Amino acid sequence: MKILFFVLKTKLLKNGEAPILMRITINGQYEEIRIQRSVPLKLWNAAKGCSKGKDRASNELNSYLSELATRALEKYKELILEQAISTPSLILKRVFGKDTEMRTLLGTIRQEIKEMEKVVNIDYAPVTINRYKNVLKKLENSIPTFYDKEDITFHELTPEFIKAFDLHLKTIGLCRNTIVRYMKCFKKITNMALAKGWMKKDAFYGYKMEQDETAPVFLTYDELQTIMNKEFTIPRLALVRDIFIFACFTGLAFVDVSTLKKEDMVQDNNGDWWIRKGRIKLMHRRKASSICNIPLLPVPLAILKKYENNPVCIKKGYCLPVPCNQKMNSYLKEIADFCGIKKNITTHTARHTFGTTITLANNVPLQDVSVMLGHASTRMTQHYARVMNASLKKSMIHVKEQLTQ
């Protein structure tokens, strides 16, 4: 580390004196700051970096410069003992008391989680906050192993640790897509640290967040008919079956089905009923394109009619008496077993079934499906839509006819 005191000859103060700056250089990287002192140009010794005057003011100035240099060396040694990366900016901040609180990685994440919890269900969904908490737990396990200390400063964060953390998440059995979601949370914290100057280099540089392509589960029309026609003597299974079928024919997500109200039902000039409802998930994020416009088919209309006088619906003001998502998924597995369907059916399977079996398989344009699902773009809809074997066969029959002409 090199310490240099110099003056700005071209920017004299009103009293004719030159302002003094302190520059610290480490491995070719330097940072400088005004020390709020000045000196007459004729009294400045550029070679020694001090005043060459013999008067009282010059002696006091030289004493102050010597004190600053000593303090800078002490702060440099402190950083070495902390095993933190020493930067000129950090040393200057410590010398002049502008860095009273050391910013550590885990400490910052804990603070951010506290801030998120203040605006839960406003700016952040509970599931998002839980994801950050999971990232924090994983880092609390990884940092002591990699750094041999409980916490680290942002300057100590390196690409090598990012790779080691990625490997740690793999070894504990997390799938690639979950790892990417955790890493995105982690990167948001480091991006904030970069923006606020708590770290100089992006530790995520060169790290690729590529997710694996997934194949969402959906029901074929025959499987859907099997569930619809199955007689259930157990009331809870009959209820869950009806709600699931309603979602299959409307494409609504579980949270939107469970909060569906009469105000969300609109009748057009022809007397046909529509669901016009803001998507809960996107409304929390303040997204513009979050309105579902869904024409109601006879099947969901009949289900709504069946439960319009249900005591739970009347009490809560909702259209359907929907159990919690956990119970729905548990009961759907029972329904699949009763119907002989070898698929892992969940409440979200209904949304994929609507996007594939109900709409696209019946030649509904992708753009229209996107509007009904409340998607901001058709790119999101393509994840829900899967090409059916019947569609492939129909296309190849058309090709065969063209070739035989």
Side-chain angles (χ1 to χ4, degrees), residues 7 28 42 81 122 186 206 244 294 319:
V7 296
K42 61 181 181 179
L81 291 173
I122 300 175
F186 190 3
F244 179 75
I294 308 163
C319 294

Side-chain angles (χ1 to χ4, degrees), residues 25-267:
T25 306
I26 301 175
N27 298 327
Q29 182 185 5
Y30 70 88
E31 197 80 30
E32 55 194 35
I33 189 173
R34 291 196 182 195
I35 65 170
Q36 305 303 319
R37 296 289 191 277
S38 60
V39 64
L41 273 176
K42 61 181 181 179
L43 294 179
W44 183 251
N45 187 330
K48 294 184 178 180
C50 64
S51 175
K52 56 186 176 183
K54 301 298 181 182
D55 57 322
R56 181 179 176 182
S58 295
N59 291 334
E60 288 180 351
L61 175 61
N62 289 338
S63 177
Y64 179 65
L65 296 178
S66 178
E67 182 184 335
L68 287 180
T70 302
R71 197 185 304 170
L73 288 169
E74 289 175 352
K75 300 302 178 184
Y76 180 62
K77 290 177 182 178
E78 285 178 6
L79 289 171
I80 292 175
L81 291 173
E82 291 173 5
Q83 297 182 7
I85 296 176
S86 303
T87 63
S89 176
L90 184 58
I91 292 172
L92 285 174
K93 284 181 179 179
R94 289 197 171 190
V95 167
F96 291 95
K98 296 180 180 180
D99 190 50
T100 54
E101 181 185 356
M102 280 296 295
R103 285 288 179 174
T104 60
L105 175 60
L106 299 182
T108 300
I109 296 177
R110 292 187 188 103
Q111 183 61 37
E112 285 302 305
I113 290 173
K114 288 181 181 178
E115 295 298 320
M116 290 178 187
E117 289 175 336
K118 293 177 182 178
V119 287
V120 63
N121 290 324
I122 300 175
D123 289 341
Y124 297 96
V127 65
T128 303
I129 298 175
N130 285 335
R131 191 172 298 149
Y132 276 89
K133 288 180 178 179
N134 287 336
V135 173
L136 177 62
K137 289 178 182 177
K138 303 296 185 291
L139 286 171
E140 285 173 341
N141 292 331
S142 297
I143 287 176
T145 303
F146 190 86
Y147 288 97
D148 196 26
K149 54 198 300 189
E150 293 299 317
D151 201 354
I152 58 170
T153 63
F154 281 100
H155 290 290
E156 294 174 89
L157 200 56
T158 62
E160 288 74 24
F161 175 72
I162 300 300
K163 292 179 182 177
F165 185 56
D166 182 280
L167 180 62
H168 168 71
L169 296 179
K170 288 178 183 176
T171 55
I172 62 175
L174 297 184
C175 69
R176 185 63 202 163
N177 292 354
T178 301
I179 291 173
V180 170
R181 283 194 287 269
Y182 283 0
M183 284 301 199
K184 285 181 178 179
C185 294
F186 190 3
K187 195 172 191 305
K188 284 185 179 180
I189 299 295
T190 61
N191 284 345
M192 179 184 70
L194 283 166
K196 294 187 177 183
W198 300 338
M199 61 190 299
K200 292 295 182 182
K201 294 182 180 180
D202 184 8
F204 276 90
Y205 180 78
Y207 179 80
K208 295 182 179 180
M209 297 192 188
E210 295 178 350
Q211 290 185 300
D212 292 335
E213 183 66 25
T214 57
V217 177
F218 65 91
L219 298 182
T220 64
Y221 190 69
D222 289 340
E223 291 169 335
L224 194 59
Q225 284 291 316
T226 300
I227 294 177
M228 290 174 65
N229 296 328
K230 183 73 175 178
E231 291 290 335
F232 290 102
T233 56
I234 305 173
R236 60 180 173 83
L237 295 184
L239 170 64
V240 169
R241 185 268 309 275
D242 291 343
I243 293 168
F244 179 75
I245 295 300
F246 178 85
C248 286
F249 280 87
T250 59
L252 290 175
F254 169 79
V255 67
D256 295 313
V257 174
S258 62
T259 56
L260 185 66
K261 296 182 178 180
K262 289 184 178 180
E263 302 92 87
D264 301 319
M265 313 290 293
V266 180
Q267 196 170 25

Side-chain angles (χ1 to χ4, degrees), residues 385-398:
R386 289 295 179 269
V387 178
M388 304 285 286
N389 289 336
S391 300
L392 292 174
K393 185 177 179 180
K394 185 178 179 180
S395 298
M396 291 310 293
I397 290 173
H398 177 71

